[in-house]
Amino acid sequence: MQHLLIANRGEIAIRIARAAAEVGMQTTAVFAEDDGESLHVRRADNAVQLAGVGPAAYLDIDGIVAAAKDCGADAIHPGYGFLSENADFGRAVGAAGLTYIGPSPEALGTFGDKAKARALAIASNVPVVKGTEGPTDFAGARKFFGSLGSDGAVMVKAVAGGGGRGMRPVTDAADLEEAMTRCQSEAEAAFGFGGVYLEQLVQSARHVEVQVAADQHGNVHVLGDRDCSLQRRRQKIVELAPAPALSTAQRDALWSHAAAITKAADYTGLGTVEFLLGSDGTLAFIEFNARLQVEHTVTEAVTGLDLVHLQFEIAKGGDLSELDVPAARGMAIQARVNLETMEPDGSARPGGGNLTAFEPPAGPGVRVDHFGYAGYQTSPRYDSMLAKVIVHTNSSDPIIAAMATARTLSEFRLEGAPSNIGFLQALLSRTQWSDYKFDVKFVERE
């Protein structure tokens, strides 16, 4: 691989371009007609404009493959979001004679369909919660909800979903039809397929995930775990590695199940296996994300591994049998800085504006992945996340890591657009960090 086209935008496109430059690869960025001022356009060696505006431009498979061929690229990296879990995109890249930096189309087809992923987990003896099988209509959903009894509650989930989109909890059967309709609409807009299914809702659960890497020679490595329980509307906002407050037995089970489903899928590439961990000890598979995660940064911080470099090595056919996976050193926290307006009731809505000042924090143990700069006019068409602040501490105590992250955020100068920095600081200052008493409902509850 000599020339990489990056089929994404923003901070992740910059992250990938930097990794490619470190191994001597030329890079080409792509951008929509309305996105030419995004910093990722400047950080690649070349840039190609796509037809159209907004996310639709980045979802144009034919347009992106044509751009890669026209600029002479021999490989494509999809980043996360957009086409990163689209099997048709993986097939189109391969058919064009280009290297796809990611798993096979077959694996993408399995894990991009959450119902198929669930079926594979069951076949691999990986625990799951009760649920419907495949795309479910309202009649089937109502029947499943009723089967759970008077205390039943479900999560409606998009079959082709990811990143918290196309998901809604339902605790009252009267709200089921509306929730399904909204999830179907959101899934259709985000993923091009509106199918949904249902899973029983696990109450008071943590969200814990395991990072895996698998090469083309059958070697599977577990690279560590992360906790992503701090969420708002099923969107992650703070993540940390390693996951705190796990017993040895729980960690062993998580890693074992993650390796089992990875091997069962004959998977190659980086992947993340996500689980719910209930307050009663319930452990259940949620999904397998067949791509680079937004929060891959905290695993890099505590292991010293470069996960994008690993992706390149796997795509080239490298043998990872001798890969030395270091034990986690200390603790790392990632805080997602979003452009948003906070409402008095604690909710938020996307915001934006012209950034009159943008000075991210720096210092030992601090990393900031971003695409901001003074004078940048943000666009409401795209995701509101502008930056990720990652802080690594030598201590494995969550409260020390949280305090260090809150202090680091106080040094972030961002003017001209509203952000959630104050909200993040307040969250990182909660007393629950002392013994990590968080679950996925904490933010909504508090």
Side-chain angles (χ1 to χ4, degrees), residues 66-248:
K69 295 178 72 173
D70 289 346
C71 74
D74 58 4
I76 293 180
H77 195 306
Y80 57 70
F82 294 132
L83 294 169
S84 63
E85 294 179 277
N86 188 304
D88 290 338
F89 182 50
R91 276 188 285 268
V93 172
L98 309 174
T99 298
Y100 181 76
I101 310 298
S104 68
E106 292 74 22
L108 287 169
T110 295
F111 292 127
D113 183 322
K114 306 310 178 189
K116 289 182 180 179
R118 175 184 167 85
L120 180 62
I122 294 170
S124 307
N125 294 317
V126 175
V128 300
V129 294
K130 295 179 181 179
T132 60
E133 305 303 326
T136 306
D137 59 18
F138 178 60
R142 184 171 53 191
K143 180 179 180 181
F144 175 71
F145 193 101
S147 72
L148 299 177
S150 58
D151 295 327
V154 300
M155 181 71 78
V156 181
K157 303 176 74 170
V159 169
R165 293 175 174 83
M167 293 176 58
R168 273 182 172 74
V170 180
T171 57
D172 188 330
D175 300 327
L176 184 58
E177 187 170 14
E178 180 183 0
M180 290 184 66
T181 300
R182 290 189 176 186
C183 288
Q184 288 166 340
S185 176
E186 190 174 329
E188 181 68 38
F191 313 112
F193 178 61
V196 299
Y197 70 107
L198 274 66
E199 286 185 343
Q200 184 175 14
L201 187 64
V202 179
Q203 305 287 2
S204 302
R206 290 174 59 185
H207 181 130
V208 182
E209 60 187 35
V210 179
Q211 180 73 64
V212 296
D215 66 19
Q216 299 174 26
H217 308 281
N219 298 302
V220 174
H221 292 278
V222 172
L223 307 183
D225 47 62
R226 303 182 283 256
D227 188 289
C228 307
S229 300
L230 287 166
Q231 304 177 9
R232 185 182 57 203
R233 297 192 301 274
R234 293 153 308 275
Q235 294 284 327
K236 300 169 187 174
I237 46 180
V238 174
E239 304 101 342
L240 62 161
L246 291 181
S247 69
T248 299

Side-chain angles (χ1 to χ4, degrees), residues 11-12 15 80 163 207-211 225-229 231 235-241 272-274 287 289 291-302 307 332-336 367 369 385 388 390:
E11 64 85 16
I12 191 59
R15 161 76 182 96
Y80 57 70
H207 181 130
V208 182
E209 60 187 35
V210 179
Q211 180 73 64
D225 47 62
R226 303 182 283 256
D227 188 289
C228 307
S229 300
Q231 304 177 9
Q235 294 284 327
K236 300 169 187 174
I237 46 180
V238 174
E239 304 101 342
L240 62 161
T272 297
V273 193
E274 302 195 348
E287 62 183 11
N289 286 318
R291 55 171 169 81
L292 189 67
Q293 291 279 88
V294 179
E295 60 273 17
H296 75 278
T297 56
V298 289
T299 296
E300 291 185 325
V302 297
L307 299 190
I333 290 180
Q334 173 178 278
R336 302 190 188 194
R367 165 182 170 181
D369 287 12
M385 190 179 74
K388 304 183 307 195
I390 304 99

